[in-house]
Structure formats: C-alpha cells, structure tokens
Amino acid sequence: MKTLLKVEGIHTFIGQYHILQGVSFEAREGEVSVLLGRNGAGKTTTLKTIMGLTPASKGTIFFEDKDIKKQPTYTIANTGIGYVPEDQGIFADLTVEENMKVAMRKEDDATLARQEYVLDLFPDLKTFWKKDGGHLSGGQKQMLAMARAFVHESKLLLIDEPSKGLAPIVIEKVMEAITEMKKSTTIVLVEQNFIMASRIGDRYTLIDDGATVHAGEMKDLIGNEELKRKYLGIG
Amino acid sequence: MEPIIKTENLTIRFGGHTAVSKVNFEMPAKQLKSIIGPNGAGKTTFFNLLSGELKATEGDVYFKGENITSMSSVARARLGLGRSFQITNVFPNLTVLENVRLAVQSKEKIRYQMYRHFTHYKKLLEESQRLIGVVLLQGKEHAIASQLSHGEKRKLEIAMLLALDTEVLLLDEPTAGMSLEEVPAILDVIKAIKQTGDKTILLIEHKMDMILDLSDSIMVLFNGKLLADGSPEEIMNNETVQNAYLGGLYDENLAES
Amino acid sequence: MKRKFQLNHYLLVVIVIALAIFPFVSDSRTWTILLTQIFIFSILAMSYDILLGYTGIVSFGHAMFFGMGAYTTAVMLKRIEPTMGTFIVSIGVGMLLAGLISFFIGLLTLRLKSHFYAMLTLAVSGLFLVLAEKWRTLTQGNDGFTFKAPEFFKDRVMFYLVVLACLVLVYVFLRRFVNSPFGRVLVAVRENEQRTSSLGFNPLHYKVIASVVAGVIASLAGSLYAVSLRFVNTSVLTMDITLDALLMTIIGGVGTLIGPIVGAGVIELAQYYLSGLAKEYPIFERWIIFFGIVYILAVVFFPRGVVGTIREQFWKRKMKKDGAKTVPKKEVS
Amino acid sequence: MELLINLTVNGLATGMLIFLLASGLTLIFGLMSVLNFAHGGLFAWGAYSAVWFYSLTGSFILGILGAIVTGAVLGFITEKLIITPVYGNHVQQILITLGFMLVLAELLKVVWGPNQIRAIVPPKLEGSWEFGDVLIIKYRLFIIIVGFVIFGIFQYMLQKTKIGLVVRAGVMNKEMVQALGINIKRVFLYVFMTGAALAALGGALFAPYSGVIYAEMGFEFAILAFIVVVIGGMGSFSGSLLAAILVGLAGSYMAYYVPALSLAVNMMLMAIVLIFRPQGLFRAKG
Amino acid sequence: ACSKSDGGEASTKTDDDEKATNQSNQNEEEEEEEELGTIKIGVLASLTGALESYGKQTKQGFELGLEYATGGTMIVAGKKIEVVYEDTETKPEVAVQKATKLLEEDEVDFLVGSSSSGDTLAVLPLAEEYEKIMIVEPAVADSITGSEFNPYIFRTGRNSSQDAVAGAAAIAGPGVKIATFAPDYSFGWDGIAAFKKAAEALGAEVIIEEFADPAATDFTSNLQKVIEAKPDYMFVVWAGANSPWNQIADLKMQEKGIKISTGAPDIPALSIMEPLVGMEGFSVYYHTLPNNPINDWLVKEHKARYNGEVPDLFTPGGMSAAIAIVEALKKSDGDANGKTLIKVMEGMSFETPKGKMTFRAEDHQALQTLYSIKLEKQEGIPYPVPVLLRELSPEETEPPIQNK
Ligand SMILES: Nc1ncnc2c1ncn2[C@@H]1O[C@H](COP(=O)(O)OP(=O)(O)OP(=O)(O)O)[C@@H](O)[C@H]1O
Ligand SMILES: Nc1ncnc2c1ncn2[C@@H]1O[C@H](COP(=O)(O)OP(=O)(O)OP(=O)(O)O)[C@@H](O)[C@H]1O
Ligand SMILES: [Mg+2]
Ligand SMILES: [Mg+2]
C-alpha cells in the first residue's frame, strides 16, 4: 500500500527545550496508525510538528511525496490534513454552529450534506447548535472538535486522544466512524485507551522520550507482552 | 449516620436547558461514590453546584447538615469541599511547585500573611515536594505549568486537590488522558486515601473498570436527572445504563481488565 | 538561587549608597532634581506594578490616587503652614484618603473583567479630574497654585535624600509584600482567578487589598511630587500620569519591582537627553519621534521589559551552563 | 418641541460622528482585541490627508478616498511593523502603540507643519436648512447618512460572511484557526487595514465638521472611541452605534439642561453602563 | 560619532569646518567674557506639543528683541548677553526641572517664559527662591500677577483681565445685551468674570453665561441657549485648537442678529475664523495694527529672516520681554541683582512694538496697548485680517490689581 505520510528523524525545539529527538514513522493510505507512549513522551508534539504548529528543525516530513516541513500551518491544512487537537481547540465564545462554520472551507451542498452526516454521529451537537462552545460539557467539546475535523473529507486526519472524556457508548460510535472513514481517509491516532487503539489500529509507533523506539503492526504488539509491559505498563 | 453531603431538589437551568434537574442525593461520609452518565448528563455541573462554582436555580445543598446553598466557592473550599477540574485548570505561568504550594498554603490557612517571606514556610515546600512525588511528577517541579503535556497537567491537577487535604474530594475525570501505565499509580493514590478512611470521595469517570474497582456505590445521572443510585452490581445490571451509556464496549472492557 | 538574591542585595545596597552620596560629590542641581523626579515616578510605577504586574489588573485611573496625595499635601501646606509636621501629616492624610477611596472603588468595581474594569477606572478618575477642575476654591482649577515647601526642604539635597529614603522604604516594603504568602496569592489571582477561589482564597479580597496598597503608595508619590514642584494643578490627575506609570512599568518589566524603577529612569532620561539633543542638532527638533521610537525598540529588544528580559536571559544562560537536561527523564517506580 | 428636535438632531449627528471615529476601533480593539493606542494617530492622518487631497484636487470625494487609501496604507505598515509582534499581548501592545502614536502625531508636524490647519466643508454641503425654528445643518445630515451607510455595510459583512467569526476565533486560538486551513495572519492584516481605513475615514469626515485639524487631535478622540467600543460591547457594530448615539445625545441634552455636569457626561455615562451592564450594551455576535 | 569628527576636522571642509570656526568664535567670546562679564538669560517655552507655535513665536521675538535693543551688539552696560532656550514640553514638572537647570547650572540672571500658565506658575517660586527676575511672557493667568504673585515676577504679556477689559471696551455700552461663551475651566471662568465686570461698568448687561466642555465635538446645545436669550452680542473667550466657529456659522447666529466678538488669535488660528468675517473684537497684536518704528523694524527683520513670514501674536511679546530686560540693565548699569532690579523695574516704562509699556508698581503687570478690531477678508490673504478700529490705550485696558 502507498505511503501517504512519511516522517523521518524529526527534531523539534520548543523554546530552548529539545522535545522531539528523532521521531520517525509512516502512515499508509487507508490505514490507522497509532502513536503510543507515556505522558510527556512527545506524541502531541509529533502531531503538532506535522501540522507545522511547532516546526521541526531537522528531519523530513513528506506528505504525498511533497515536503511539507517548511509549509505554514494553513497550507498544510489545505493540502488535506485534518487535525483534532488534544485540548479540543474549541472557540469558547462562538456557538457550536459558528465553530462548524469557521471550519468549513466552503458551504456547498456536498459540505452541508457531510455536516449532516457528522451531526448524526454526534446528535448532542445538534441539540446544542446555538450554544456557546465554552458551555459544552467536556465530552461534547470532544465531539465538536471531531465534528469540525470530519466536516471535510481529508486525505489525512491527525486525531489526538479522541476517546478522552467520552462515554463508552460514544467511544464505540467514534470507533465505528473511524473505521468507516478509513475507506477514504488515512488516520494517525494518538490514543491512551489501548482497547480502542488495538481494535482500530493497523500499525503502531511507540514513542518514548521524544524518539521512536519501536514500530510495527498492531497485531504483533497485541501479542507482544514484553513490549506492552515495557512501554505501556500493561499486560 | 448523617450523610456528609445532601442535596434537595437541586436544579440548575441555563436558559431553557435544565442541566441538573431536581436531584435528591445523599453522600454517606467516608465512602467513595462514582458518578456516571452520558456526556452532557450534568455530572460536571452537579459538581459545580456542590463546590459553589455555580449557583443553583432551585434546591439546596447541605454539608454536614448545614445549608450551604448560598455560600461562595471560597467558603465551601474552606469548609472542606475540595475539587479537581475536568478541563485542566491550573496557574499556567507558575511552576508546578508553585501551583502545588499555593494549594498547600491554603490548607495551612496562611491567607493574609503579608510580611513574612514565603520561602520561610519550609514546611509548605516540603509538603509540596511530597505531593509532586505522589502524582509522579518529580523532576518537573520547576517546569512552567503551561508547558506540561496534557497528562502531566492532569497529574498536577490531582496534586493540587490532594494538597488541599479537604474532607470531601470531588474528582472530575482525574485520569482522562493519563497514560495507561500511570493510571494504576493514580488509582493507588485514590485507594490509599480511601483506605485511611477519613475522606469522602466523589468521582466522575467514564472508565468502567476503574469505577468498579474503586466504588462503594455508583450514582447515574441522565439528562440532568438522578436515574439510579446503588451498589456497583445494581447499576451495572440496570438496563437503561447498559443501553444508553455503556453500549457494547463495556463487556470487552471488563474482559480486558 | 539564594546566592543570586544575595548578590542582588549587595548590588542594590551599593547603588543606594552611591545615590545617597551623589549630591555631596556632584553639585549639579539638575541631576539632583532629575533624580528626585525619577525616584518619585519610580514609587508611582512600583505601586502601579502591584496592580498590573502582580495582580494582573489594568487600571487607567491610577492618577486619581497620585493626584489625591498631591492635592492633599499642597492644600495642607498652603492652608495650614509649610512645616515638616504639616508635610508628614499631609502625607498620612493623603494616604488615608487614597486608601479609603481605592477601597470603595475596588469593592464596587473589581468584580468587572479586565477592560471593563480598566475603563471604569478611567471614568472614575475622569470624574475626579472634573471635580478638581470645578472645585476652584480649593484647587484653583487647571491654573493651579504654588505653595511653600517646609523650610527643611529649602535645600533640595535634603528633599532628594528624603525621597530616596522613601523609595528605599517603599521598595523594601513592597518586596516583602509581594514575596509574602499574600503576594504569592496575588500572583495566583493574576494567573487564574477562578482557580484561586476554588483553593479557598477569595480573589476579591486580594484584589481590593492590592488596589488599596497601590493607591496608598501612589498617593505618597503624589505628595512628594507636589512638594518637589511646590506647585500643583490638575495635570496631576490626568491620564498622562497614569500612562507614565504604565509605560515605566512596562518598559522596566511587569511583575518585577526593580523594573518600574528602571523604567522610570529610562523614560525620564530618554526624555531629558533627547530634548537636550533638540537644542544641538536640528534633526532632533522633532525629538518626540525618537522618543516614540524608544518605546517601539523597547518592545522589540526587551519584550518582557528591561529587567524581565535580562532576567530571562540570565536564567537561560544559567540553564545552559548547568547543562540542564533537554527533556527531563522520568523515573517510573 | 423645536428645541427638542434641534438637540436631538445635533446629538444624533455628533453620535454618528463618534460612531465613525469608533468604527475602526470596533474592528481593531473590539474584534481583534488589539489595544491600539495609535488609533488616534491613524485618525489624525486621515484628517490631514483628506484636507490635503481636497485642497490639491478640489474634489471632496477624492479627498475622502485619499484619506481612506492613506489609512489603509498606514494600517498595512502599522500591522506589519508594530502589531504583528505583539498580538495577544496587551501589555506590549500598550507600550508599542503609544510609542507609535507619538511618532505618527509628530510626523504630521514634519509633513504639514505644527500649526492648525483649516478644513472646509465642500460648498454643496455647506450651510443649513431652516424649517421654522428647526435648523438642520447640511453637513451633519451628511454625517448621519454616511454613518448609517458604513454601519449597514459592516453589519452586512459581519453577518453574511464568516470574517467576523474567523477573526474572533483567531483571537481565541490562532493555532487552531490555522489548523483549519485559514491564513489568519492575512485575515488579521486585512481587517486591521480596514479598521485603519475606517479610522482615517472618521478623521476625514471629522475635519470639515470641526473646521480645524491639528496634530494632537488624535489623542483627544481616541479615548472617546475606546469608551464607545467598550460600552457598546466589544466588537459589536450595533453596540458601537448605539453607544455612540447615546454619547452624542447625552452630550447634547446635558449641555442644554444640566450644563454644570456636561464636562462629566461621558465618564458618568460609561460608569453607569458598566455598573449595570458590565459586558457592555451588546454582545458581539457575528 | 566622536572619533569621526576627530578625524574629520582636518580633512573635510564642510560641517566640521563650520564647527571649528564656531568653536574659535566661542573661544573669542569667552575671552571677551572675561573682559566684559556676562548677563545670562534663560527662556522657557513650549517648543514641542500643542503650544509649540506659541513657544516659537516667543523665541523668535526674544532673539529679535535683544538684537534691536542692543543694536545688534548683544552687549548692554558693558556686559555680553547670552541666552539659553529650554523646552518645557507644556509639563509643569519639566518646566521646574528646566528652570532649575537654568538657575543652577547656567546660572542665569533672568528667566523668561512661558507659553502655558501651568508651567509658569510652577516656576514662579523658583524666581523668588533664587532671587532672580522672571519676565512672564505670554502666559495669561491672572493669578500670576495676582494670588501667586511674588516681587520677582514682571509680566510683559497681557493678562486675562486686560483681554476682558479690551473685549468689553470693544463692544460694551449702555443697554447692550451680551451673552458670553467660554470653555469650562479656569481660563474661561476668569476671562468671563473679568469681562462681566468691565462690561457692566460700561453699562452693558450680561444676560447669559455659557460654558462648554472644551474638548467637546458639539457646542450647538450651548449656542442654542444663547440664541434663545436673544442678546446683541455674544462675547467668546476661547483657546485651543478645537473651536466653535464653524458651529456658530452653521447656526446662523450672525444672520439672527447676534454679533460675535472675541479676541483675534494667531495667524494659523485666524485662518479657521473664516466664518466670522465681519466680527468686531479686540487683538493683542497683529503686525499691521501698531504704528511705530519698532514694529516696522520687527516686521521687516522678521520677514527678512523667516522667509517672508510676518511676526505673529506673541512675537512682539518676546521682543518686549527682551527690551524690558535690556532697558532694566541699562538703568541698573549692568547690575543683575534681583533686588536692585525690582526697584529699577517697578514703574519702568519702555518702548515696544506695541508702543509704550509700563510695569505697574503694585503688581508688576505691564500696562499696554490693545486693539479694537474688525475681521475683514482681504485680497490675497488666505485668512480674515484684523483691521484696526481704534487703539485701546494702556490706561483704558488697565486691569484691577489682584495681588493684594
Ligand atoms: N510549550 C512547551 N514548552 C516546554 N516544554 C513543552 C512544551 N510543550 C510540551 N513540552 C514538553 O514536551 C514533552 C512532550 O510533550 P507532549 O505534549 O508531546 O507529550 P505527549 O506525549 O502528548 O503526552 P500526553 O500523553 O501527556 O499528552 C513533555 O515533557 C512536555 O513537558
Ligand atoms: N455554563 C453553561 N451554560 C450553558 N449550558 C451549560 C453550561 N455548563 C454546562 N452546560 C450544559 O449542561 C449540560 C451538562 O453539562 P456537564 O458539563 O455537567 O456534563 P457532564 O455530565 O460533565 O458531561 P461530560 O461527561 O461530557 O463531561 C450540557 O448539555 C452542557 O452543554
Ligand atoms: Mg498529548
Ligand atoms: Mg464533565
């Protein structure tokens, strides 16, 4: 299968801190790649670096054979990469509707139809359509953040801990949605919920102390008790 | 025994939307009760009503028999209701140590002391250091809070609550976003507190394994209403809970743990 | 960390001593006056920093407390008699007045959020300005009036020393204040008010007390200012004074106490030298342009204020030297 | 009755004028949350360039257009040089824009000299109509009309496009907006330029109204503009309009009925509004 | 920059050359000094900010005045005159700072200034403290020679009351009904109070007094009230750039039979009084009003020096201050001692571009000629020109003594 995103040996500084010190992984078309690792390992920073929010100082990031390392964030987004940040990034003073509106690049029928589809996924949002984003419950915010990213058909979606704060039944729905979307969209997922990660992930990358320490197919990891114990504390 | 917290007809409306609706609930002292319910059920809002962050539209809150409905959050915190926040809520430009130290200072009731140098309070520092260790944040004392990773912030949040050392702890999804390997450590912390036997804990969580592991009882909120309050078994067997909250995932979830 | 503070301490003591003997070695009265001026504005700016830097309150009405001090002292020295006694009492009365008024204004208005509070203080101080303008029997409006300073201050060196002493006292007091447990809570209020209250601290109390302290000290600065000029008019109540305090604080570095002092020095000296240059070189005729550029450059080169930025650099260098771990390792038990 | 009409019309005109002065700030301060103390400078530059272009070309319209262009160009320079490094930091904004304000005001003197300059009303708008005791000053009517037109245009733009939303979202979370594919820097630049152009337009229309322009005029009216934006409710054009008219009418009535307090009227109005409606009259939506 | 000029002195023959000659000039001067002794004068003026043009007028006038009074030698009674100019920035604290610098560092014998009343009042006590004569020019506040007076203060500028008396003299008469309009602060109140007294003394009746916020954008409400009162005249006291003239015209007050009267300002401000052409009022100075050789000299020299510009409102004031100093020194025979000079200057008369001035012994206010004028449009002049109706003699405009 074709490689859609190829991250190689990236180093990222935030201020004077050397946060990423050699993260490499690739995401293949139509697959779900999961980034795993402890708190503070650098998973979020990896996603941010891909989005151009914390630009890498070294290494390469190829998306569809184009080097996007030096591109500004909005260009990266416009080449077809969607992003669900870990802190949800909800515009607190804008209503749910307005939050969606900001995210929509155009308001043609196709987009509106897709919005309907997304809202069916998270019916709560429809109920609170005119409510301020800041007044949503934690889980509702998480839903809104995903809905915003899903409203366009992206080539690649970067999703940072989608299951956090969601009720079990909603997690299930999200998993279904991701599985559904996989057909057309490649997904990079950061997830602490191993059950979820193992169920929908195709391959994994283990990050520790800002560097890739292991990568492979998810089914291998599920069986590899040693790795799980060493880096994930489970098994 | 007199319940330590009691609510009567507790209700709050935001515009036309009733987020918490006529909740009558009793919290027995020195127990751990979990609150579950779908997203937007009103769990956090209920906490906000207990801790005084929000004012009830109707109904009353009692703490040890005293009506505290009209008390400010400050007064309630001083009375012994401490809470952690679902959305991380720390002092962003202060260091981890300073964040915790402020909480310890409040516990020690050093509130209006204006002349002594703060570093004179060695005790405070030591206590803060200890708590930072408890939540596995050692080595990060001098990191600025806003520069922590998400999971680290969650831990800081817990450390601050622990520092307050209040009689009642209201924990709002303490482990959301915390890494797998560290959840057990935090669970242990909660368990340890529970075992000392002098604290009352209210816990909001969506992680069922954790809830079942810890809770003496579980209450379920649904659309702002109290749907059920009972032992873990009762709740897990409740059909509404299963259909509308747990879905299918929970079986495997249980099987895994 | 301790060592650094101590070093700072020695340095400060040396500077203060140098300043104290300055008028006896140099007989430049211009400098004495300029420095007196700088000291007075340092006091004002420090008081402003308690609000802006430590408590995170932007006030556009600080001039009202400055003006209160200035008028109280001026009126009392003129109406009663120009003696040291009156002077000292007038300072006390001014501070009391400023304290009371800042207390009430604070209580009424500090619940408001940022700009709204700022604009409300602007309104209230605007009303005080109108009051001073209209209450001519007392203030003589914008023409103002002159008065005699106490005999003791005839020699400006004495006044210089008294102002310097006030500066040192205020500095020491405020340093204690901001480093006290109370002061740490102020910072917490600045950072996250709601969280402060859920820790059991009442933010309103802290904000009101901070604004009372700031008001009282601004009033002291005002009293000294009036005596330094032996004249007062409504200019002491104008927005310009507030802006001066604000600018000095920001240039020097908010959230530091040395900052406002440095800021006062930078602004007064820049003004002094630039306007001096205007006499010598025609291109400096429009020296105000260069003065404006000083502000702009200050932001560019000292984004956190002179003192704030230097401190930051110092820490960075220190971190590098100590070879601080880039990504701190976590030990997992 | 005639008296009341006169007072009201004049108050309304003054209010509209204040609205025009404040409209640019509604964008820059209200919407973009930039504490732009150099706003008065932009406003004075607008006034000067309008008078200059008018005297050069003999066309009032060209004068106004010249001012708008000057404002936009100055806005471009200001945003790039002065504002870009300090977005999101109010403290730095105060310092740098105050510095820039001094530069702008002083540069006016370099270009046009330190003396006040006369600004004339174009002949077509000169004079007044009298209906009995009711006196309508033509230029004031013109101001009222322009005010409503500007209000209409911007209200429409903010309602019908998502620019307003994007800007507000950008202020709350710049990174997220970019991650949604929006070049927020450019949006900010354009909105700032528009705000500056509006400020210049305000200045240009103000000049003939008062008949005189001078380098310090910016300082005086910038504060008034801030007051209007705050009591109107940050970022709301309807709010600014209402607040400006309120200020205008209050000034007009007070000066007639309670002259002793007319000096304090703006401050009292602001204090009253903020005490009873701390968030301002309107809350910005769209 | 230092090193550059070191090297440049010999090689380049431009600026540096000039500097070098300047320097040698200075050396000569210093030598002369030793022989002659010097008189130093410090001039305080607003050289930046809103009052900049006033400050510059004073400065230019003062320079010309010294030249005229010393016949270009800059020497009086055997002493060389040196002048230091300082910018007060229209801030009292800067004024005090600069004044102290002048007194302490430059050791000036006289202070002159300043453009704003606030600055001047702040400096007054210093004159007394250092026992140096201060010539106040052109600050107008009555209190300078009134409640805040001290014996070292002499004022060549006219004060508010003189303006008011002149204003009254221009329009008041038995049975005339007058409305007044002024800014709502000391300057306006003082002016109107003095005017009222003078006007009533002349038999007129002040029927309404309106005060307006000087920073307001709209004065129509106040003017409306005046219109309703139906006076014969509206006497306006005004200062500052934001002016009511346009609105007075807009409200057609003159067409309604209300004649406007006010003091004519400086030329830049005159240009915005276009709507008031035809109004009768008074003037402190306009270059065509006085008729005497000093003024002729002033106009000629000023034009020659400042590319054709004529002297403006406060230029003769600056000149008068210079002449007063030179005259006083002549009389004291070069003695610059404050106490001596007080005696010499009290009651002293001297010729100025505005004719003879006399320092009144009681309050040291210079009594002077003011002018009753009418604004006329004149061919080729881009602003309304004050045309002389009649001179108001120093006696006629004598203000009350207020320092008792
Ligand atoms: N702005 C910043 N300044 C300094 N250090 C930072 C900053 N942001 C993150 N870090 C540090 O970088 C490291 C990696 O952070 P990151 O957020 O990528 O971790 P993560 O793997 O996403 O963790 P989590 O599971 O807790 O979300 C952490 O140690 C964090 O403290
Ligand atoms: N300040 C507010 N204004 C308006 N509506 C609010 C406000 N706070 C909460 N709500 C609404 O009240 C409902 C309950 O919210 P709450 O945060 O209590 O949910 P929750 O049970 O904690 O959900 P989650 O599990 O997602 O955190 C939600 O529908 C939310 O949108
Ligand atoms: Mg993360
Ligand atoms: Mg919640």
Side-chain angles (χ1 to χ4, degrees), chain A residues 43-45 86 160-161 190, chain B residues 149-151:
Chain A
K43 307 178 292 295
T44 298
T45 311
E86 90 178 326
D160 205 342
E161 301 200 30
V190 172
Chain B
S149 80
H150 180 78

Side-chain angles (χ1 to χ4, degrees), chain D residues 3 6-7 10 14 109 114-116 118 128 135 137 140 206 208-209 211-212 214 216 221 252 255-256 259 263, chain E residues 49-50 52-53 184 213 217-218 220-222 224-225 228 241-242 246-247 250-252 256 268-269 271-272 274:
Chain D
L3 173 70
N6 278 337
L7 291 181
N10 287 324
T14 316
K109 296 186 185 169
N115 292 325
Q116 43 185 309
R118 172 154 198 244
S128 45
L135 190 123
I137 301 169
R140 297 199 168 192
F206 178 82
Y209 181 99
V212 54
Y214 46 100
E216 280 80 15
F221 297 105
S252 174
Y256 191 88
L263 227 32
Chain E
E52 176 176 327
S53 49
D184 199 357
D213 176 0
T217 28
D218 186 24
T220 47
S221 298
N222 306 83
Q224 197 85 44
K225 268 185 153 170
E228 278 159 27
N242 189 19
N246 254 20
Q247 306 190 9
D250 284 338
L251 290 181
K252 304 191 172 167
K256 291 193 170 106
S271 71
I272 59 173
E274 194 86 40

Side-chain angles (χ1 to χ4, degrees), chain C:
Chain C
M1 204 164 154
K2 265 262 156 66
R3 275 256 305 287
K4 184 191 145 238
F5 279 144
Q6 241 136 55
L7 203 81
N8 261 350
H9 271 313
Y10 287 128
L11 197 67
L12 283 182
V13 170
V14 170
I15 291 175
V16 168
I17 293 174
L19 285 173
I21 50 180
F22 170 79
F24 301 101
V25 261
S26 153
D27 53 20
S28 161
R29 283 293 169 272
T30 315
W31 272 96
T32 322
I33 289 199
L34 194 59
L35 284 172
T36 311
Q37 215 64 260
I38 292 177
F39 297 160
I40 293 171
F41 276 103
S42 297
I43 296 176
L44 177 68
M46 274 197 287
S47 78
Y48 193 82
D49 199 26
I50 295 296
L51 294 178
L52 179 66
Y54 288 92
T55 325
I57 303 173
V58 178
S59 161
F60 287 146
H62 210 49
M64 76 184 134
F65 305 116
F66 185 80
M68 247 171 246
Y71 270 111
T72 310
T73 297
V75 168
M76 286 179 71
L77 285 177
K78 177 122 188 166
R79 298 277 165 107
I80 304 174
E81 49 172 356
T83 60
M84 272 313 266
T86 318
F87 172 65
I88 291 167
V89 172
S90 78
I91 288 182
V93 174
M95 285 172 134
L96 193 74
L97 213 66
L100 279 175
I101 288 177
S102 60
F103 177 76
F104 284 116
I105 293 177
L107 217 55
L108 278 177
T109 60
L110 274 167
R111 289 168 211 271
L112 293 188
K113 288 260 172 300
S114 57
H115 349 278
F116 300 111
Y117 171 78
M119 294 313 275
L120 198 57
T121 52
L122 176 73
V124 177
S125 80
L127 292 175
F128 269 96
L129 177 61
V130 173
L131 178 72
E133 203 76 80
K134 295 239 159 180
W135 195 353
R136 281 187 83 209
T137 46
L138 191 75
T139 64
Q140 302 201 22
N142 113 312
D143 280 348
F145 60 90
T146 61
F147 56 91
K148 289 213 163 37
E151 197 57 30
F152 183 67
F153 291 151
K154 260 268 144 59
D155 182 358
R156 281 176 193 266
V157 172
M158 288 334 276
F159 186 65
Y160 169 92
L161 292 176
V162 168
V163 174
L164 179 61
C166 285
L167 174 64
V168 172
L169 279 177
V170 168
Y171 174 77
V172 170
F173 167 75
L174 286 183
R175 203 188 154 90
R176 260 290 139 102
F177 179 71
V178 299
N179 283 331
S180 71
F182 183 93
R184 303 324 291 173
V185 182
L186 283 186
V187 174
V189 170
R190 174 189 80 193
E191 290 293 314
N192 186 342
E193 203 174 315
Q194 178 239 359
R195 183 64 205 239
T196 317
S197 63
S198 71
L199 288 183
F201 302 109
N202 189 340
L204 189 63
H205 291 186
Y206 289 86
K207 292 203 281 187
V208 169
I209 293 176
S211 73
V212 168
V213 168
V216 164
I217 290 175
S219 159
L220 168 68
S223 292
L224 295 173
Y225 177 82
V227 174
S228 82
L229 297 190
R230 293 135 162 82
F231 165 77
V232 70
N233 72 355
T234 47
S235 71
V236 293
L237 283 164
T238 55
M239 183 81 181
D240 289 3
I241 297 283
T242 306
L243 286 182
D244 275 346
L246 183 67
L247 291 173
M248 288 165 182
T249 309
I250 300 174
I251 284 196
V254 292
T256 64
L257 282 178
I258 295 288
I261 302 179
V262 172
V266 168
I267 289 195
E268 292 281 322
L269 291 177
Q271 188 161 332
Y272 176 75
Y273 279 115
L274 285 173
S275 73
L277 282 177
K279 278 197 301 181
E280 286 166 43
Y281 306 98
I283 59 153
F284 281 99
E285 185 193 349
R286 297 265 157 243
W287 62 271
I288 305 258
I289 293 180
F290 296 89
F291 191 53
I293 291 175
V294 169
Y295 292 179
I296 296 172
L297 293 181
V299 173
V300 174
F301 290 107
F302 298 101
R304 316 190 54 180
V306 176
V307 173
T309 306
I310 289 176
R311 256 189 208 169
E312 194 179 61
Q313 295 299 328
F314 178 84
W315 277 109
K316 260 192 203 158
R317 201 146 312 147
K318 197 170 156 199
M319 296 261 283
K320 281 227 178 87
K321 219 168 53 212
D322 293 358
K325 286 170 285 180
T326 44
V327 171
K329 293 249 190 296
K330 269 167 297 292
E331 283 89 27
V332 182
S333 44

Side-chain angles (χ1 to χ4, degrees), chain E residues 64 82 147 152 173 217 221 228 258 266-267 275 286 314 349 378:
Chain E
L64 288 168
E82 270 177 40
S147 58
Y152 294 87
T217 28
S221 298
E228 278 159 27
I258 301 170
D266 63 351
I267 291 169
Y286 179 71
F314 293 136
S349 292
Q378 280 183 3

Side-chain angles (χ1 to χ4, degrees), chain A residues 136-139 165, chain B residues 38-45 86-87 172-173 204 206:
Chain A
L136 295 179
S137 84
Chain B
N39 295 118
K43 303 180 293 295
T44 302
T45 308
Q86 177 177 14
I87 303 291
D172 198 348
E173 301 198 32
I204 298 178
H206 288 299

